[in-house]
Amino acid sequence: MPETRVLVNNPNPMNTKIETIGDATLYLGDCMDILPTLPKLDAVITDPPYGIKRFEKGSLRFDKTGEYKNGIAWDKAPEKAFFDLLLSKGENSIIWGANNFELPTSEYFLVWDKQQTVSNFASAELAYTNIKIPAKVFRFSIHQHNQIEKDHPTQKPVDLMAWCMDFVPKALTILDPFMGSGTTGVAAIQMGRKFIGIEREPKYFDIACKRIEQAVAQPRLFEDVRPKQEQTSLI
């Protein structure tokens, strides 16, 4: 099999590390530094840090190794100025955690129904979008998702991010400035899209590189083998 990963020696003054893996271009660095250097792209699909108060504490239920015993330092919600910049970088945008951020008023939104059975945890997550569609619901059990070995404490299901891409069928390139462990990139590659991802934490950047490299190496035997979601509208 030919080599799929290429390390780019980036000439920009930030000395950003860039990996090219198939149709994916991955940046290790701060998205506030990198976004201004990028052109406007077809779609932004991302899941920024929400700034959840309980993440400031230790003893998190998913922390089996004690890595986050002092909390999650990077879980800081971006400010409005960042979202103004981000929205200027995509023809269409889907931003998860919308209720936590200062975003433009929109009558359009997406919902992940987590089929949660634990009363003191959220039953759903909301995404802002500027795509002119009635509100839609993705149903996928958080308990099923939790059975998967995850590489990131806030990792989304690949099928969720692929479902988001179904709403932008003409988008050739997907941008995720909070790439984390690369879930959006995996979904993009599986769906035959190009991907640009940015991640500032070296640990997660390396994981994303490996996951996307695996997705690139996996042949696409069928156009879409994911289970079909019923397109449920709320309005």
Short mmCIF file of all heavy atoms in Angstrom, two decimals, residues 123-171:
data_model
loop_
_atom_site.label_atom_id
_atom_site.label_comp_id
_atom_site.label_asym_id
_atom_site.label_seq_id
_atom_site.Cartn_x
_atom_site.Cartn_y
_atom_site.Cartn_z
N SER A 123 -30.69 14.74 27.85
CA SER A 123 -31.34 13.80 26.93
C SER A 123 -31.03 14.11 25.48
O SER A 123 -31.30 13.29 24.60
CB SER A 123 -32.86 13.84 27.14
OG SER A 123 -33.19 13.41 28.44
N ALA A 124 -30.48 15.30 25.21
CA ALA A 124 -30.23 15.70 23.83
C ALA A 124 -29.13 16.74 23.78
O ALA A 124 -28.79 17.36 24.79
CB ALA A 124 -31.50 16.26 23.20
N GLU A 125 -28.56 16.91 22.58
CA GLU A 125 -27.64 18.01 22.30
C GLU A 125 -28.14 18.75 21.07
O GLU A 125 -28.73 18.14 20.17
CB GLU A 125 -26.21 17.50 22.09
CG GLU A 125 -25.60 16.93 23.35
CD GLU A 125 -24.09 16.70 23.24
OE1 GLU A 125 -23.43 17.45 22.48
OE2 GLU A 125 -23.60 15.77 23.88
N LEU A 126 -27.89 20.05 21.05
CA LEU A 126 -28.39 20.91 19.98
C LEU A 126 -27.25 21.44 19.13
O LEU A 126 -26.17 21.74 19.63
CB LEU A 126 -29.16 22.10 20.57
CG LEU A 126 -30.35 21.79 21.46
CD1 LEU A 126 -30.95 23.10 21.99
CD2 LEU A 126 -31.40 21.00 20.70
N ALA A 127 -27.51 21.57 17.84
CA ALA A 127 -26.54 22.17 16.92
C ALA A 127 -27.18 23.34 16.20
O ALA A 127 -28.31 23.23 15.70
CB ALA A 127 -26.04 21.14 15.91
N TYR A 128 -26.46 24.44 16.16
CA TYR A 128 -26.83 25.58 15.31
C TYR A 128 -26.53 25.21 13.87
O TYR A 128 -25.54 24.54 13.56
CB TYR A 128 -26.00 26.80 15.71
CG TYR A 128 -25.95 27.89 14.67
CD1 TYR A 128 -26.85 28.94 14.70
CD2 TYR A 128 -24.98 27.87 13.65
CE1 TYR A 128 -26.80 29.95 13.74
CE2 TYR A 128 -24.94 28.87 12.69
CZ TYR A 128 -25.85 29.91 12.73
OH TYR A 128 -25.79 30.88 11.78
N THR A 129 -27.38 25.68 12.96
CA THR A 129 -27.04 25.60 11.54
C THR A 129 -27.66 26.78 10.81
O THR A 129 -28.68 27.33 11.23
CB THR A 129 -27.51 24.27 10.92
OG1 THR A 129 -27.04 24.20 9.57
CG2 THR A 129 -29.03 24.14 10.94
N ASN A 130 -27.02 27.17 9.73
CA ASN A 130 -27.59 28.18 8.83
C ASN A 130 -28.11 27.54 7.56
O ASN A 130 -28.45 28.23 6.60
CB ASN A 130 -26.57 29.27 8.50
CG ASN A 130 -25.29 28.70 7.89
OD1 ASN A 130 -25.20 27.52 7.59
ND2 ASN A 130 -24.29 29.56 7.72
N ILE A 131 -28.18 26.20 7.54
CA ILE A 131 -28.76 25.47 6.41
C ILE A 131 -30.27 25.58 6.51
O ILE A 131 -30.85 25.28 7.57
CB ILE A 131 -28.32 24.00 6.41
CG1 ILE A 131 -26.79 23.89 6.43
CG2 ILE A 131 -28.89 23.26 5.22
CD1 ILE A 131 -26.28 22.50 6.72
N LYS A 132 -30.91 25.98 5.47
CA LYS A 132 -32.35 26.28 5.52
C LYS A 132 -33.17 25.00 5.37
O LYS A 132 -33.69 24.67 4.30
CB LYS A 132 -32.70 27.31 4.45
CG LYS A 132 -32.02 28.65 4.70
CD LYS A 132 -32.40 29.68 3.66
CE LYS A 132 -31.73 31.01 3.96
NZ LYS A 132 -32.07 32.06 2.96
N ILE A 133 -33.26 24.28 6.49
CA ILE A 133 -34.05 23.05 6.56
C ILE A 133 -34.87 23.07 7.85
O ILE A 133 -34.46 23.70 8.82
CB ILE A 133 -33.14 21.79 6.55
CG1 ILE A 133 -32.08 21.89 7.65
CG2 ILE A 133 -32.52 21.57 5.19
CD1 ILE A 133 -31.25 20.65 7.84
N PRO A 134 -36.01 22.39 7.87
CA PRO A 134 -36.73 22.25 9.14
C PRO A 134 -35.84 21.52 10.15
O PRO A 134 -34.97 20.75 9.78
CB PRO A 134 -37.95 21.40 8.77
CG PRO A 134 -38.08 21.53 7.29
CD PRO A 134 -36.70 21.72 6.76
N ALA A 135 -36.07 21.78 11.42
CA ALA A 135 -35.28 21.13 12.47
C ALA A 135 -35.35 19.61 12.32
O ALA A 135 -36.41 19.05 12.06
CB ALA A 135 -35.79 21.55 13.84
N LYS A 136 -34.20 18.96 12.47
CA LYS A 136 -34.11 17.52 12.28
C LYS A 136 -33.54 16.84 13.54
O LYS A 136 -32.80 17.46 14.31
CB LYS A 136 -33.20 17.19 11.09
CG LYS A 136 -33.66 17.78 9.77
CD LYS A 136 -34.96 17.17 9.28
CE LYS A 136 -35.34 17.71 7.91
NZ LYS A 136 -36.64 17.17 7.46
N VAL A 137 -33.89 15.57 13.70
CA VAL A 137 -33.49 14.82 14.89
C VAL A 137 -32.73 13.56 14.48
O VAL A 137 -33.18 12.81 13.61
CB VAL A 137 -34.71 14.41 15.73
CG1 VAL A 137 -34.26 13.63 16.97
CG2 VAL A 137 -35.52 15.64 16.14
N PHE A 138 -31.57 13.36 15.11
CA PHE A 138 -30.78 12.14 14.94
C PHE A 138 -30.94 11.32 16.21
O PHE A 138 -30.62 11.80 17.31
CB PHE A 138 -29.31 12.49 14.72
CG PHE A 138 -28.39 11.31 14.57
CD1 PHE A 138 -28.20 10.71 13.34
CD2 PHE A 138 -27.70 10.80 15.67
CE1 PHE A 138 -27.33 9.62 13.20
CE2 PHE A 138 -26.83 9.73 15.54
CZ PHE A 138 -26.66 9.13 14.30
N ARG A 139 -31.41 10.10 16.10
CA ARG A 139 -31.64 9.25 17.28
C ARG A 139 -30.56 8.18 17.36
O ARG A 139 -30.46 7.33 16.48
CB ARG A 139 -33.04 8.64 17.23
CG ARG A 139 -34.13 9.68 17.43
CD ARG A 139 -35.51 9.07 17.51
NE ARG A 139 -36.48 10.06 17.92
CZ ARG A 139 -37.10 10.91 17.09
NH1 ARG A 139 -36.84 10.84 15.80
NH2 ARG A 139 -37.94 11.80 17.55
N PHE A 140 -29.77 8.26 18.42
CA PHE A 140 -28.69 7.29 18.62
C PHE A 140 -28.40 7.23 20.12
O PHE A 140 -28.10 8.25 20.74
CB PHE A 140 -27.44 7.70 17.85
CG PHE A 140 -26.32 6.70 17.87
CD1 PHE A 140 -26.30 5.64 16.98
CD2 PHE A 140 -25.29 6.79 18.80
CE1 PHE A 140 -25.28 4.70 17.00
CE2 PHE A 140 -24.26 5.87 18.83
CZ PHE A 140 -24.26 4.82 17.92
N SER A 141 -28.47 6.05 20.69
CA SER A 141 -28.36 5.89 22.13
C SER A 141 -26.97 6.25 22.65
O SER A 141 -25.97 5.72 22.16
CB SER A 141 -28.70 4.45 22.52
OG SER A 141 -28.34 4.19 23.86
N ILE A 142 -26.93 7.11 23.66
CA ILE A 142 -25.66 7.43 24.30
C ILE A 142 -25.08 6.20 24.99
O ILE A 142 -23.85 6.04 25.09
CB ILE A 142 -25.83 8.59 25.31
CG1 ILE A 142 -24.48 9.06 25.87
CG2 ILE A 142 -26.76 8.20 26.44
CD1 ILE A 142 -23.53 9.63 24.85
N HIS A 143 -25.94 5.31 25.41
CA HIS A 143 -25.46 4.09 26.07
C HIS A 143 -24.75 3.19 25.05
O HIS A 143 -23.73 2.58 25.36
CB HIS A 143 -26.63 3.36 26.73
CG HIS A 143 -27.39 4.22 27.69
ND1 HIS A 143 -26.83 4.73 28.84
CD2 HIS A 143 -28.66 4.70 27.66
CE1 HIS A 143 -27.71 5.46 29.48
NE2 HIS A 143 -28.82 5.47 28.79
N GLN A 144 -25.30 3.13 23.84
CA GLN A 144 -24.63 2.38 22.78
C GLN A 144 -23.30 3.04 22.43
O GLN A 144 -22.28 2.37 22.25
CB GLN A 144 -25.52 2.31 21.54
CG GLN A 144 -24.91 1.54 20.38
CD GLN A 144 -25.84 1.48 19.17
OE1 GLN A 144 -27.03 1.77 19.26
NE2 GLN A 144 -25.29 1.14 18.03
N HIS A 145 -23.31 4.37 22.36
CA HIS A 145 -22.08 5.11 22.05
C HIS A 145 -21.03 4.88 23.13
O HIS A 145 -19.83 4.76 22.82
CB HIS A 145 -22.41 6.60 21.94
CG HIS A 145 -21.23 7.47 21.59
ND1 HIS A 145 -20.38 7.21 20.54
CD2 HIS A 145 -20.76 8.61 22.18
CE1 HIS A 145 -19.45 8.14 20.47
NE2 HIS A 145 -19.65 8.99 21.46
N ASN A 146 -21.45 4.79 24.37
CA ASN A 146 -20.50 4.61 25.47
C ASN A 146 -19.87 3.22 25.49
O ASN A 146 -18.88 3.00 26.21
CB ASN A 146 -21.18 4.89 26.82
CG ASN A 146 -21.42 6.37 27.03
OD1 ASN A 146 -20.78 7.22 26.41
ND2 ASN A 146 -22.36 6.70 27.91
N GLN A 147 -20.42 2.30 24.73
CA GLN A 147 -19.83 0.96 24.63
C GLN A 147 -18.61 0.95 23.71
O GLN A 147 -17.80 0.02 23.75
CB GLN A 147 -20.86 -0.04 24.11
CG GLN A 147 -22.05 -0.25 25.02
CD GLN A 147 -21.66 -0.68 26.42
OE1 GLN A 147 -20.89 -1.62 26.59
NE2 GLN A 147 -22.18 0.02 27.42
N ILE A 148 -18.48 2.00 22.90
CA ILE A 148 -17.36 2.11 21.97
C ILE A 148 -16.15 2.67 22.72
O ILE A 148 -16.27 3.60 23.53
CB ILE A 148 -17.72 3.04 20.80
CG1 ILE A 148 -18.95 2.51 20.06
CG2 ILE A 148 -16.55 3.21 19.83
CD1 ILE A 148 -19.53 3.49 19.07
N GLU A 149 -14.98 2.11 22.46
CA GLU A 149 -13.75 2.63 23.06
C GLU A 149 -13.45 4.00 22.46
O GLU A 149 -13.15 4.12 21.28
CB GLU A 149 -12.59 1.67 22.81
CG GLU A 149 -11.32 2.02 23.55
CD GLU A 149 -11.44 1.84 25.06
OE1 GLU A 149 -12.22 0.99 25.51
OE2 GLU A 149 -10.74 2.57 25.78
N LYS A 150 -13.55 5.04 23.27
CA LYS A 150 -13.39 6.40 22.76
C LYS A 150 -11.99 6.93 23.07
O LYS A 150 -11.37 6.57 24.07
CB LYS A 150 -14.46 7.32 23.35
CG LYS A 150 -15.87 6.98 22.83
CD LYS A 150 -16.89 7.98 23.29
CE LYS A 150 -17.28 7.78 24.73
NZ LYS A 150 -17.96 6.49 24.94
N ASP A 151 -11.52 7.82 22.21
CA ASP A 151 -10.19 8.40 22.32
C ASP A 151 -10.20 9.82 22.87
O ASP A 151 -9.15 10.43 23.04
CB ASP A 151 -9.51 8.41 20.94
CG ASP A 151 -9.38 7.02 20.36
OD1 ASP A 151 -8.73 6.19 20.99
OD2 ASP A 151 -9.94 6.77 19.27
N HIS A 152 -11.41 10.34 23.15
CA HIS A 152 -11.54 11.74 23.55
C HIS A 152 -12.75 11.83 24.49
O HIS A 152 -13.77 11.17 24.25
CB HIS A 152 -11.75 12.61 22.30
CG HIS A 152 -11.67 14.09 22.56
ND1 HIS A 152 -12.69 14.80 23.12
CD2 HIS A 152 -10.68 14.98 22.30
CE1 HIS A 152 -12.34 16.08 23.20
NE2 HIS A 152 -11.12 16.21 22.72
N PRO A 153 -12.67 12.64 25.55
CA PRO A 153 -13.76 12.66 26.53
C PRO A 153 -15.09 13.20 26.00
O PRO A 153 -16.14 12.92 26.59
CB PRO A 153 -13.22 13.56 27.65
CG PRO A 153 -12.10 14.32 27.05
CD PRO A 153 -11.51 13.44 26.00
N THR A 154 -15.07 13.97 24.92
CA THR A 154 -16.33 14.50 24.38
C THR A 154 -16.55 14.02 22.94
O THR A 154 -17.19 14.71 22.14
CB THR A 154 -16.33 16.05 24.43
OG1 THR A 154 -15.26 16.56 23.62
CG2 THR A 154 -16.17 16.55 25.85
N GLN A 155 -16.05 12.86 22.63
CA GLN A 155 -16.11 12.33 21.26
C GLN A 155 -17.54 12.06 20.81
O GLN A 155 -18.32 11.44 21.52
CB GLN A 155 -15.29 11.04 21.19
CG GLN A 155 -15.16 10.42 19.82
CD GLN A 155 -14.13 9.30 19.82
OE1 GLN A 155 -13.04 9.46 20.37
NE2 GLN A 155 -14.47 8.17 19.23
N LYS A 156 -17.89 12.53 19.61
CA LYS A 156 -19.20 12.30 19.02
C LYS A 156 -19.18 11.00 18.19
O LYS A 156 -18.13 10.57 17.73
CB LYS A 156 -19.58 13.47 18.11
CG LYS A 156 -19.90 14.78 18.85
CD LYS A 156 -21.20 14.69 19.59
CE LYS A 156 -21.67 16.04 20.12
NZ LYS A 156 -20.87 16.52 21.26
N PRO A 157 -20.36 10.41 17.97
CA PRO A 157 -20.43 9.24 17.08
C PRO A 157 -20.09 9.62 15.64
O PRO A 157 -20.49 10.68 15.16
CB PRO A 157 -21.90 8.80 17.19
CG PRO A 157 -22.42 9.43 18.45
CD PRO A 157 -21.67 10.71 18.60
N VAL A 158 -19.37 8.75 14.95
CA VAL A 158 -19.06 8.98 13.54
C VAL A 158 -20.36 9.12 12.74
O VAL A 158 -20.47 9.99 11.86
CB VAL A 158 -18.19 7.84 12.97
CG1 VAL A 158 -18.05 7.98 11.45
CG2 VAL A 158 -16.82 7.83 13.63
N ASP A 159 -21.35 8.29 13.05
CA ASP A 159 -22.61 8.34 12.30
C ASP A 159 -23.33 9.68 12.47
O ASP A 159 -24.02 10.14 11.56
CB ASP A 159 -23.54 7.21 12.75
CG ASP A 159 -23.16 5.86 12.14
OD1 ASP A 159 -22.27 5.84 11.26
OD2 ASP A 159 -23.75 4.85 12.54
N LEU A 160 -23.16 10.32 13.61
CA LEU A 160 -23.77 11.64 13.83
C LEU A 160 -23.16 12.67 12.90
O LEU A 160 -23.87 13.46 12.27
CB LEU A 160 -23.60 12.06 15.29
CG LEU A 160 -24.06 13.48 15.63
CD1 LEU A 160 -25.56 13.65 15.40
CD2 LEU A 160 -23.69 13.83 17.08
N MET A 161 -21.83 12.67 12.81
CA MET A 161 -21.16 13.65 11.96
C MET A 161 -21.43 13.36 10.48
O MET A 161 -21.56 14.29 9.66
CB MET A 161 -19.67 13.69 12.25
CG MET A 161 -19.34 13.90 13.73
SD MET A 161 -20.32 15.18 14.54
CE MET A 161 -19.34 16.63 14.21
N ALA A 162 -21.53 12.08 10.12
CA ALA A 162 -21.88 11.73 8.75
C ALA A 162 -23.30 12.17 8.42
O ALA A 162 -23.58 12.64 7.31
CB ALA A 162 -21.72 10.22 8.54
N TRP A 163 -24.20 12.02 9.38
CA TRP A 163 -25.59 12.49 9.22
C TRP A 163 -25.61 14.00 8.94
O TRP A 163 -26.36 14.46 8.08
CB TRP A 163 -26.36 12.15 10.48
CG TRP A 163 -27.78 12.62 10.56
CD1 TRP A 163 -28.87 12.11 9.90
CD2 TRP A 163 -28.29 13.69 11.37
NE1 TRP A 163 -30.02 12.78 10.26
CE2 TRP A 163 -29.69 13.75 11.17
CE3 TRP A 163 -27.70 14.57 12.28
CZ2 TRP A 163 -30.50 14.69 11.82
CZ3 TRP A 163 -28.51 15.50 12.94
CH2 TRP A 163 -29.88 15.55 12.70
N CYS A 164 -24.78 14.74 9.66
CA CYS A 164 -24.68 16.19 9.40
C CYS A 164 -24.28 16.47 7.95
O CYS A 164 -24.81 17.38 7.31
CB CYS A 164 -23.65 16.82 10.34
SG CYS A 164 -24.12 16.84 12.09
N MET A 165 -23.36 15.67 7.44
CA MET A 165 -22.88 15.88 6.07
C MET A 165 -23.94 15.56 5.03
O MET A 165 -23.87 16.06 3.90
CB MET A 165 -21.61 15.06 5.84
CG MET A 165 -20.44 15.58 6.64
SD MET A 165 -18.95 14.54 6.51
CE MET A 165 -18.16 14.96 8.07
N ASP A 166 -24.91 14.75 5.41
CA ASP A 166 -26.02 14.47 4.49
C ASP A 166 -26.78 15.75 4.12
O ASP A 166 -27.40 15.82 3.06
CB ASP A 166 -27.00 13.47 5.10
CG ASP A 166 -26.46 12.05 5.10
OD1 ASP A 166 -25.53 11.75 4.31
OD2 ASP A 166 -26.96 11.23 5.90
N PHE A 167 -26.73 16.76 5.00
CA PHE A 167 -27.46 18.01 4.75
C PHE A 167 -26.68 18.98 3.86
O PHE A 167 -27.20 20.02 3.48
CB PHE A 167 -27.82 18.69 6.08
CG PHE A 167 -28.73 17.85 6.93
CD1 PHE A 167 -28.28 17.33 8.13
CD2 PHE A 167 -30.03 17.57 6.53
CE1 PHE A 167 -29.12 16.55 8.92
CE2 PHE A 167 -30.87 16.78 7.31
CZ PHE A 167 -30.41 16.27 8.50
N VAL A 168 -25.43 18.63 3.55
CA VAL A 168 -24.62 19.46 2.65
C VAL A 168 -24.04 18.56 1.55
O VAL A 168 -22.83 18.40 1.44
CB VAL A 168 -23.50 20.21 3.41
CG1 VAL A 168 -24.07 21.37 4.19
CG2 VAL A 168 -22.74 19.27 4.35
N PRO A 169 -24.90 17.97 0.72
CA PRO A 169 -24.44 16.99 -0.26
C PRO A 169 -23.48 17.55 -1.30
O PRO A 169 -22.70 16.79 -1.89
CB PRO A 169 -25.74 16.50 -0.91
CG PRO A 169 -26.72 17.61 -0.69
CD PRO A 169 -26.36 18.19 0.65
N LYS A 170 -23.52 18.86 -1.53
CA LYS A 170 -22.64 19.47 -2.52
C LYS A 170 -21.33 19.97 -1.93
O LYS A 170 -20.47 20.47 -2.67
CB LYS A 170 -23.37 20.61 -3.24
CG LYS A 170 -24.57 20.15 -4.05
CD LYS A 170 -25.23 21.31 -4.77
CE LYS A 170 -26.44 20.85 -5.58
NZ LYS A 170 -27.09 21.98 -6.28
N ALA A 171 -21.18 19.85 -0.64
CA ALA A 171 -19.96 20.33 0.03
C ALA A 171 -18.82 19.35 -0.22
O ALA A 171 -18.85 18.21 0.25
CB ALA A 171 -20.20 20.48 1.53
#
